[in-house]
Amino acid sequence: IIDFNSSISQRTDLTPVVLSWETKDVTRVRINSIGEDLQPNGDSQVDPKEKTTFVFTAFGNFDQTIEKTITVDVESVEILKFNYEINIEKGIDNVDVLWETKNAIEVEISPRIGIVDLAGKTSVGIPDRTEFIIVAKGYFNETSKRYLNFL
């Protein structure tokens, strides 16, 4: 195996990853998840949706094997901050909900708020005890948190 590499080591969007390889004096090559009987030199696009390790195997004349691995990670979504403060200016039954996310492409807070920016603050009236839920979605995964308001 002269070379086995990937165009990127961490996937941050939906652009495919290109695996490429170059070999010498092999009878056949294979990459798990792609297939058998690949050309001795070539490339292939892959679309991992989770952290994936690709194993490249080259076979010699006497069935000896050499392997090389590449791991491609995917970006994870994080909720860095999600809480509330009582907004005295608007009254005791009004709170400011604050949030901040990382690697999200869409954020939704319920109830009564909806789809919001990836980070921010909004005021919302709450007539009684309310459980706020934030859902942050990324290209490959999503995460959520709950926050109970005790008013």
Side-chain angles (χ1 to χ4, degrees), residues 13 16 36 82 88 107:
D13 60 26
E36 302 274 339
F82 183 52
I88 299 297
V107 176

Side-chain angles (χ1 to χ4, degrees), residues 8-98:
I8 55 174
S9 60
Q10 181 171 4
R11 198 166 180 213
T12 59
D13 60 26
L14 296 178
T15 304
V17 177
V18 178
L19 300 178
S20 57
W21 60 92
E22 182 181 355
T23 64
K24 182 178 175 186
D25 299 327
V26 299
T27 58
R28 62 189 170 100
V29 298
R30 104 174 145 223
I31 301 174
N32 69 317
S33 305
I34 295 178
E36 302 274 339
D37 300 323
L38 300 170
Q39 294 296 315
N41 302 304
D43 59 57
S44 182
Q45 290 187 352
V46 293
D47 294 304
K49 307 281 189 267
E50 59 189 13
K51 185 176 183 176
T52 304
T53 298
F54 295 95
V55 180
F56 180 86
T57 307
F59 296 86
N61 287 324
F62 301 103
D63 279 335
Q64 70 270 37
T65 60
I66 298 174
E67 290 185 345
K68 188 169 181 187
T69 62
I70 290 177
T71 300
V72 177
D73 205 354
V74 296
E75 196 170 64
S76 294
V77 178
E78 296 178 54
I79 298 170
L80 303 175
K81 176 171 68 172
F82 183 52
N83 59 6
Y84 76 94
E85 302 169 346
I86 296 174
N87 186 327
I88 299 297
E89 293 175 6
K90 292 189 177 183
I92 190 104
D93 60 349
N94 193 291
V95 295
D96 291 338
V97 178
L98 302 99

